[in-house]
Amino acid sequence: MGTETAVAYHLTIAPTQRELGGLGSGQEGVRARVVGMGRAAGGRVAALLEEAPCRLLVSLGYAGALEPHLRTGDLVVGNAYLHGAEPPISGVPLATRAAVLLRESGLSVQEGPVLTVDEPLLSPRSKRRALQGSGALVVDMEGRWIAEAAARKGVPLIAIRSVLDEAQFSLPAFVAAIIADSGRREWAHAIRAMSNPSAFRSILPLAMKSRGASRTLEVAAQSMVAALPHQP
């Protein structure tokens, strides 16, 4: 098999199965993989690109809003990836084209920087500080590391983030436990937290936001699959 035919057209990744937007291995011509949360996601993406090179990487996932005007289910296409004081990874050439495509599907889409953090931002105050320090539209825990892995391999990246929690929304403390566990026992952590009245009151609103963000990701994922080429 020649090099050209060995290189796949694109790979779609997400931290969890829910964030893959309904994509799965059963769909013809679709390579979709769960890569986990946090910095480790970058290593898993690097390994995937080493094992099976591709011509385009599509990264899907949830994010927290930093800009107050963003609402649950709004999409942000990343055009720069920030982490702390490190120089940004910027100049992503496909971001504008992807944003236009998603708007044509009737979605609310903005293009802008994504801040990656090592610990979840649970409070409105922490989100305000992050906005002031970075100017990013949204915050996630994987984007920077995924962008680094793609850049090292010279693979173009389209990163689409669906807003889960608005800037004014306080996330319950058990979210940190879910993230530390890479989302493997999400409901176990939620059930354990129900003994705390404040956490219990936040579970239903958070579940509703998760459903809204997931629906938008599903439309975005299907729109990208329909638009991208299905032949090497």
Side-chain angles (χ1 to χ4, degrees), residues 27-214:
Q27 291 174 272
E28 184 179 355
V30 173
R31 287 182 63 212
R33 298 290 185 273
V34 172
V35 296
M37 300 179 178
R39 189 183 291 259
R44 295 188 184 99
V45 170
L48 285 171
L49 296 178
E50 184 69 29
E51 294 166 7
C54 65
R55 297 178 179 177
L56 175 66
L57 181 65
V58 179
S59 172
L60 303 175
Y62 300 144
L66 298 182
E67 281 287 353
H69 65 271
L70 290 171
R71 295 291 177 262
T72 297
D74 288 348
L75 295 180
V76 171
V77 179
N79 62 11
Y81 303 89
L82 316 174
H83 178 261
E86 299 175 59
I89 297 177
S90 58
V92 182
L94 297 178
T96 298
R97 290 172 56 189
V100 170
L101 169 67
L102 294 170
R103 289 190 192 105
E104 290 174 350
S105 299
L107 298 168
S108 176
V109 185
Q110 294 194 42
E111 179 185 346
V114 176
L115 173 66
T116 296
V117 295
D118 299 318
E119 300 291 337
L121 304 184
L122 301 180
S123 69
R125 182 179 179 185
S126 64
K127 295 174 191 178
R128 284 195 300 270
R129 287 200 301 263
L131 172 63
Q132 293 164 0
S134 69
L137 295 181
V138 293
V139 58
D140 73 2
M141 301 192 70
E142 302 83 26
R144 170 71 183 219
W145 318 125
I146 292 169
E148 280 189 357
R152 284 196 298 269
K153 287 294 183 181
V155 177
L157 170 67
I158 296 173
I160 302 167
R161 296 293 179 263
S162 181
V163 171
L164 175 64
D165 51 303
E166 297 101 330
Q168 303 87 353
F169 185 80
S170 295
L171 288 169
F174 71 81
V175 168
I178 291 172
I179 291 172
D181 194 31
S182 296
R184 286 186 292 266
R185 294 189 296 270
E186 180 177 351
W187 283 107
H189 292 295
I191 291 170
R192 190 176 301 118
M194 285 183 182
S195 59
N196 183 317
S198 63
F200 180 79
R201 287 192 297 269
S202 66
I203 287 174
L204 181 57
L206 185 59
M208 297 297 291
K209 291 180 184 298
S210 176
R211 288 182 63 184
S214 296

Side-chain angles (χ1 to χ4, degrees), residues 5 75 230:
T5 56
L75 295 180
H230 292 290

